[in-house]
Amino acid sequence: MSANRNLHKAKVNKKDEFYTQLSDIENELYHYWPHFRDKVVYCNCDDPRVSNFFRYFSLQFEPLGLKKLITTCYKNQQVDMFSQNDSERAIWLEYDGTRNETGVPSIEDIGVRHLEGNGDFRSAECIELLKQADIVVTNPPFSLFREYVAQLIEYDKKFLIIGNKNAITYKEIFPLIKQNKMWVGVTPMSRDLLFDLPKEYAQFLVETKREGSAYKVLDGVVKGRSQSMWFTNLDHKKRHEELILTKRYSPEKYPKYDNYDATEVSKTKDIPRDYSGAMGVPITFLDKYNPEQFEIIWTTDRGGDGMIEFMKKPHDRHDAPVVRGKGVYKRIFIRNKRPQA
């Protein structure tokens, strides 16, 4: 297969194997340390030879008070440009905190084991490892995000994972957010998550994409950029911070939707303090969502799922919200539990 065809294939594969930067892992994990004491952590989409998740947890094993660290690596049956593996089989390892004289664990010290299958997180042997885990932390394939989260819920696992921002309104994901079974992490949704790239793909982005969109250059190094964020069901302090509301409602400032019985609020900071009815807010509201302060009703209808029939008005369009004849971006419908006069 030619290099160009490999690059095209990588593009179609939705960049499922971008490598998370250690700095992004450190910045997010800082807020969850108490959750990890005496726990088994499983990174089930991580080749320990290149994964910064493995590097983080192995280096912080003792400070976190971990019981065990398990990682598994998927062996792609069709080697593409992302593959860093030089073995013919998928691998896994189990680390219990034993260190060499340098204090830094190495793959050689820990020992690599081979899986019978290809290391897919859905395989029977990987599920057996999942059953041992208390907390799952990784950057799973974006193209399999729905299945990945469904498995975590099925096996009742705590998790801290990276996903695409658009996943918020997936019909398989949004109900979990509404039911407070899953929420966003501490890192603001507006902050870029940048990823380490194979050299060939970095070159492809520079030659075919616009800087600032698909990639950024930091200190001369090309970093991949994607619409990514953290999802978790581990509690953190930010989730319980009260959003200070200063605006007051007026029909002139807050128009009703043409197709929904709700009021448009285009910016989270402009949520009126004295309004008790349904409001449509941007999905970035989830950065400020406090379940004690707000109720999530639903997201704007996606293909007639029927969850908000009671809010619809007669109109030829129901998926995207419409204000004064103009469509706006997807919204989350909320209600203030404690409106103030």
Side-chain angles (χ1 to χ4, degrees):
M1 184 180 289
S2 70
N4 285 339
R5 290 178 64 190
N6 269 330
L7 291 171
H8 177 71
K9 182 172 181 284
K11 178 183 177 183
V12 173
N13 281 346
K14 300 182 180 180
K15 303 178 283 294
D16 275 347
E17 297 185 49
F18 275 18
Y19 303 114
T20 311
Q21 294 189 115
L22 183 60
S23 59
D24 287 330
I25 297 171
E26 291 172 336
N27 290 338
E28 184 69 24
L29 267 292
Y30 169 80
H31 301 277
Y32 304 87
W33 273 45
H35 291 287
F36 286 91
R37 181 158 297 278
D38 297 321
K39 296 298 191 297
V40 176
V41 172
Y42 185 27
C43 304
N44 58 352
C45 298
D46 295 87
D47 183 338
R49 293 167 289 193
V50 295
S51 169
N52 280 322
F53 285 100
F54 168 77
R55 177 175 174 79
Y56 176 84
F57 283 113
S58 60
L59 291 175
Q60 300 296 340
F61 195 97
E62 291 181 3
L64 284 169
L66 294 182
K67 181 179 180 180
K68 187 187 298 184
L69 170 63
I70 303 172
T71 71
T72 55
C73 172
Y74 176 74
K75 171 58 182 175
N76 201 333
Q77 298 303 307
Q78 294 182 338
V79 178
D80 62 26
M81 60 166 284
F82 285 123
S83 179
Q84 299 288 316
N85 304 333
D86 54 11
S87 62
E88 293 301 319
R89 298 166 63 185
I91 65 172
W92 73 286
L93 61 79
E94 182 177 279
Y95 178 54
D96 62 4
T98 304
R99 292 170 177 260
N100 59 25
E101 64 276 5
T102 68
V104 180
S106 68
I107 302 301
E108 291 72 22
D109 294 328
I110 300 169
V112 171
R113 311 179 191 187
H114 290 99
L115 292 164
E116 292 298 321
N118 63 8
D120 191 306
F121 67 86
R122 298 162 293 186
S123 66
E125 55 187 342
C126 287
I127 289 175
E128 287 304 311
L129 293 173
L130 175 67
K131 290 177 181 178
Q132 300 179 33
D134 298 301
I135 307 175
V136 178
V137 186
T138 192
N139 179 3
F142 284 6
S143 59
L144 298 174
F145 192 76
R146 295 172 174 87
E147 292 180 69
Y148 189 85
V149 171
Q151 183 186 83
L152 295 176
I153 299 300
E154 178 183 357
Y155 288 94
D156 194 25
K157 296 301 175 182
K158 295 296 184 181
F159 59 86
L160 178 60
I161 58 177
I162 292 175
N164 191 283
K165 293 175 185 177
N166 288 328
I168 288 173
T169 54
Y170 290 172
K171 64 181 181 180
E172 300 88 352
I173 301 300
F174 192 79
L176 301 174
I177 296 175
K178 171 178 165 54
Q179 298 162 19
N180 290 307
K181 295 181 179 179
M182 176 178 181
W183 43 87
V184 304
V186 176
T187 301
M189 294 170 62
S190 59
R191 183 177 300 170
D192 278 344
L193 290 183
L194 302 178
F195 298 86
D196 295 325
L197 302 172
K199 291 182 179 179
E200 295 89 347
Y201 194 66
Q203 180 182 348
F204 168 74
L205 291 180
V206 171
E207 292 175 352
T208 63
K209 302 295 181 180
R210 180 170 56 86
E211 183 175 357
S213 177
Y215 71 93
K216 287 188 176 181
V217 179
L218 298 180
D219 298 325
V221 178
V222 178
K223 301 285 185 178
R225 178 180 180 271
S226 77
Q227 296 295 311
S228 304
M229 58 180 288
W230 292 92
F231 292 89
T232 189
N233 60 356
L234 295 171
D235 207 11
H236 54 76
K237 291 182 180 179
K238 181 182 175 183
R239 185 167 173 260
H240 301 283
E241 293 176 354
E242 188 89 359
L243 178 60
I244 305 301
L245 306 176
T246 61
K247 307 291 185 179
R248 293 190 178 276
Y249 171 78
S250 72
E252 295 75 26
K253 293 181 180 179
Y254 298 93
K256 290 277 190 177
Y257 293 109
D258 300 354
N259 52 342
Y260 290 106
D261 186 15
T263 295
E264 160 73 357
V265 181
S266 60
K267 297 179 181 178
T268 299
K269 67 181 181 63
D270 291 336
I271 294 174
R273 57 179 294 177
D274 55 348
Y275 190 72
S276 60
M279 297 173 280
V281 294
I283 62 174
T284 51
F285 159 81
L286 293 178
D287 262 343
K288 304 294 184 181
Y289 172 50
N290 176 339
E292 290 90 40
Q293 186 178 12
F294 295 101
E295 171 196 358
I296 292 178
I297 302 172
W298 199 245
T299 182
T300 45
D301 204 2
R302 294 176 60 85
D305 57 27
M307 295 300 295
I308 47 177
E309 290 292 332
F310 69 98
M311 292 180 64
K312 289 181 180 178
K313 296 179 181 179
H315 203 273
D316 60 0
R317 185 174 182 180
H318 292 304
D319 53 350
V322 179
V323 178
R324 296 168 180 163
K326 183 178 181 180
V328 296
Y329 195 64
K330 62 185 70 173
R331 292 290 189 258
I332 295 174
F333 292 127
I334 66 167
R335 185 178 287 112
N336 188 345
K337 290 183 176 181
R338 302 194 297 263
Q340 301 171 350

